[in-house]
């Protein structure tokens, strides 16, 4: 269907000035981990589709860089010559569209809500670290109720929580530090106050 859309744009002469972005909703558990849903921090619901067709950019290529949906808005802004607000999240993917081998960020972040518990994950090209906390922002370390760590090279189906494995201690500490930085940045965001009031956590 994506090919049909691009073919139609070419037929009517709009392919030279039209940006097409296709992205998918969360993935979905189909019984794996004993789950049938999408609100988790496992790989299935957090890894999703993202495709872009941009005039004058590299065509028919795949990239390996970490991306997030928050990157779409600043990307389209840059392509359209629009200055995005300074406070938004996300990083423009234009460098990747020009060179698919380019890597623009090391981590992707995800939040999953399980009733009164919030799960936050940080994912790089190989590992995922997760913290489950009893409260939303601001982050309070005393509210942590569980942690997870997965090595997708050795355990692609997330069968073993390796958070207590000594060989990953330095990697976990590095990712934990980056996740705490993410908490701090989100709480400092202009959007955090109204969201906190809406959730009753301010």
């Amino acid at each position: 269907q994506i090919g049909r859309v691009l073919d139609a744009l070419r037929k009517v002469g709009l392919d030279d000035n039209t940006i097409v972005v296709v992205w998918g909703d969360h993935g979905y558990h189909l019984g794996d981990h004993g789950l049938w849903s999408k609100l988790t921090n496992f790989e299935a619901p957090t890894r999703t589709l993202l495709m872009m067709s941009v005039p004058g950019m590299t065509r028919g290529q795949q990239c390996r860089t970490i991306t997030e949906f928050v990157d779409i808005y600043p990307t389209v802004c840059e392509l359209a010559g629009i200055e995005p607000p300074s406070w938004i999240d996300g990083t423009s993917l234009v460098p990747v569209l020009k060179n698919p081998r380019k890597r623009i960020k090391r981590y992707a972040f995800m939040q999953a809500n399980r009733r009164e518990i919030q799960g936050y994950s940080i994912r790089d090209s190989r590992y995922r670290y997760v913290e489950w906390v009893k409260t939303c922002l601001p982050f309070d370390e005393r509210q942590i109720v569980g942690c997870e760590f997965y090595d997708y090279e050795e355990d692609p189906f997330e069968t073993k929580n390796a958070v207590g494995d000594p060989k990953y201690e330095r990697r976990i500490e590095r990712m934990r530090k980056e996740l705490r930085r993410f908490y701090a940045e989100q709480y400092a965001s202009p959007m955090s106050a109204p969201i906190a009031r809406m959730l009753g956590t301010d």
Side-chain angles (χ1 to χ4, degrees):
Q1 301 305 316
I2 298 169
R4 289 184 175 184
V5 171
L6 298 178
D7 287 343
L9 288 171
R10 280 191 289 271
K11 287 179 180 178
V12 297
L14 294 176
D15 57 310
D16 288 336
N17 67 348
T18 302
I19 299 167
V20 179
V21 183
V22 179
W23 69 96
D25 193 11
H26 299 287
Y28 209 87
H29 288 294
L30 298 175
D32 52 305
H33 298 293
L35 299 167
W36 193 271
S37 65
K38 61 183 181 180
L39 295 178
T40 78
N41 278 300
F42 287 119
E43 187 78 348
T46 59
R47 187 166 187 153
T48 58
L49 170 73
L50 176 59
M51 301 175 68
M52 293 187 179
S53 174
V54 180
M57 299 293 179
T58 305
R59 301 175 68 89
Q61 299 292 314
Q62 295 182 357
C63 75
R64 300 292 298 175
T65 188
I66 294 285
T67 60
E68 302 171 283
F69 286 164
V70 292
D71 300 328
I72 296 173
Y73 181 64
T75 301
V76 174
C77 282
E78 182 174 348
L79 292 170
I82 299 171
E83 185 70 26
S86 60
W87 48 264
I88 65 167
D89 291 324
T91 303
S92 173
L93 299 174
V94 170
V96 182
L97 293 170
K98 294 178 178 178
N99 178 6
R101 296 184 178 181
K102 190 84 172 176
R103 294 181 183 267
I104 60 168
K105 57 171 57 176
R106 291 188 61 186
Y107 302 107
F109 298 89
M110 173 68 182
Q111 178 184 2
N113 179 289
R114 304 295 285 183
R115 296 182 181 175
E116 74 279 4
I117 298 176
Q118 304 291 324
Y120 298 91
S121 78
I122 176 173
R123 172 75 152 94
D124 66 10
S125 59
R126 177 172 171 175
Y127 305 100
R128 181 187 304 278
Y129 173 69
V130 184
E131 288 183 344
W132 294 93
V133 296
K134 286 184 177 179
T135 182
C136 195
L137 299 173
F139 170 73
D140 183 349
E141 189 171 2
R142 295 170 298 179
Q143 298 295 314
I144 294 176
V145 295
C147 300
E148 301 170 68
F149 182 82
Y150 301 102
D151 179 348
Y152 290 102
E153 191 170 290
E154 295 191 7
D155 182 22
F157 299 110
E158 302 157 314
T159 62
K160 178 185 177 183
N161 179 4
V163 75
D165 192 326
K167 76 176 182 180
Y168 296 117
E169 184 176 352
R170 293 179 64 182
R171 172 68 61 174
I172 291 172
E173 185 56 37
R174 190 178 307 129
M175 296 183 80
R176 180 184 290 124
K177 182 178 179 180
E178 287 297 321
L179 187 57
R180 303 294 166 80
R181 180 185 59 79
F182 172 78
Y183 293 148
E185 288 179 354
Q186 295 306 302
Y187 189 59
S189 166
M191 295 301 294
S192 67
I195 291 174
R197 285 194 295 271
M198 180 177 66
L199 295 174
T201 58
D202 190 13

